[in-house]
Amino acid sequence: MKIAFFSTQPYDKAFFERENKNKKFTYQFFTAPLDSHIVHAVDPVDAVCVFVNDKVTREVVEVLASKGVKIIALRCAGFNNVDLDAAKAFGLAVCRVPAYSPEAVAEHAVAMLLTLNRKTHKAYNRVREQNFALQGLLGFNLHGRTVGVVGTGKIGKAFARIMLGFGCKVLAYDLYEDRELIDLGITYVSSDVLYDRSDIISLHCPLTPDNMHMIDKTALDKMKEGVMLLNTSRGGLIDTVAAIDALKSKRIGGLAIDVYEQEEKIFFKDLSDTIIEDDILQRLMSFPNVLITAHQAFFTDEALTQIARVTLENIECLLQNKPLNKDAAL
Ligand code: NAD
């Protein structure tokens, strides 16, 4: 079984090699993302394995189909970067890893919240410079605060549970209510009520054509003055220009993002020697109350092991016409 990997990082190679001890699979690794140019370099393979920023457009799908590729295997949960209609039309199966470690992402969201609130990133640098002053490091207690969780699927649920453990009141907005969360004391409200009442808002819903820029000026205007906004889901959920205006007007008191709408040209690369041309990202990075990580919320040993294992299982099942695990087929 032959697989071509795109956007390959050293850790992808390491974890996928580790899960292929019996050499059932043959790998071809590309560091470049899959796009309409590199797709022409794909050798005859059974599957292409892609990540969050590979652009699997109709054009790409058509070339893959012409080369006899049968499967587009996402080594992630989100699939907004794949044209599913085109895949169906050209007869390619699409699979993903629906739940590799919801805790990995939820815990990273909490890490970002604690860092941004208690400014441990600044304290770390200060102390190393022998600056032991506290001025400028003031935070607030999470205990007793209201946290709004948008999207209470696997990750949102894990995040909500952790917040309950901190002694927060948790509000949730989702298209479907989760009985287990209601039993734990979480209250489902409309998005407007969630925006109005939450001190902290964390986004955990997928990006779909319907909710692109769901956090726009209108939504931000409904939020509490000084709200702390977290996004570990997908960059396109937030209208970044509107968020910058809201940071300037102090409507947003803190913004922590692990995802950014224009991230595909920037994230997962070492650009320390180059000039970043994205002025919006540069403006974001200039705020003292903005914390950015480069799509690393999933990045734990447990998650990478599970991603490699499930991706290979998905490909094997599809090639052998066996049913996939729940939610893995798209
Ligand atoms: P999930 O499918 O288990 O849950 C998503 C939830 O969002 C569902 O309950 C769904 O009903 C709800 N939802 C859908 N549209 C909504 C909307 N418009 N408003 C409110 N709720 C809505 O997914 P999950 O595993 O919890 O993952 C959530 C998202 O996290 C993924 O789609 C992906 O984009 C992102 N993610 C990020 C990373 C990272 O490393 N930063 C890693 C994994 C996943």
Side-chain angles (χ1 to χ4, degrees), residues 100 105 153-155 173-174 204-206 232-234 258 295 298:
Y100 40 89
V105 183
K154 292 171 285 294
I155 296 170
Y173 167 66
D174 197 306
H204 298 289
C205 58
T232 54
S233 200
R234 282 292 180 265
D258 184 51
H295 211 134
F298 72 100

Side-chain angles (χ1 to χ4, degrees), residues 172-226:
Y173 167 66
D174 197 306
L175 311 176
Y176 309 96
E177 299 192 351
D178 184 294
R179 190 69 248 167
E180 211 182 312
L181 286 183
I182 295 171
D183 292 344
L184 285 172
I186 284 166
T187 312
Y188 278 90
V189 291
S190 66
S191 56
D192 279 2
V193 171
L194 185 144
Y195 297 155
D196 179 57
R197 297 203 196 141
S198 302
D199 301 301
I200 297 147
I201 296 176
S202 195
L203 307 180
H204 298 289
C205 58
L207 176 65
T208 66
D210 298 334
N211 66 7
M212 178 78 187
H213 285 179
M214 69 186 287
I215 307 299
D216 57 4
K217 184 183 177 334
T218 312
L220 288 162
D221 283 347
K222 292 174 184 161
M223 293 181 192
K224 274 190 183 181
E225 193 79 30

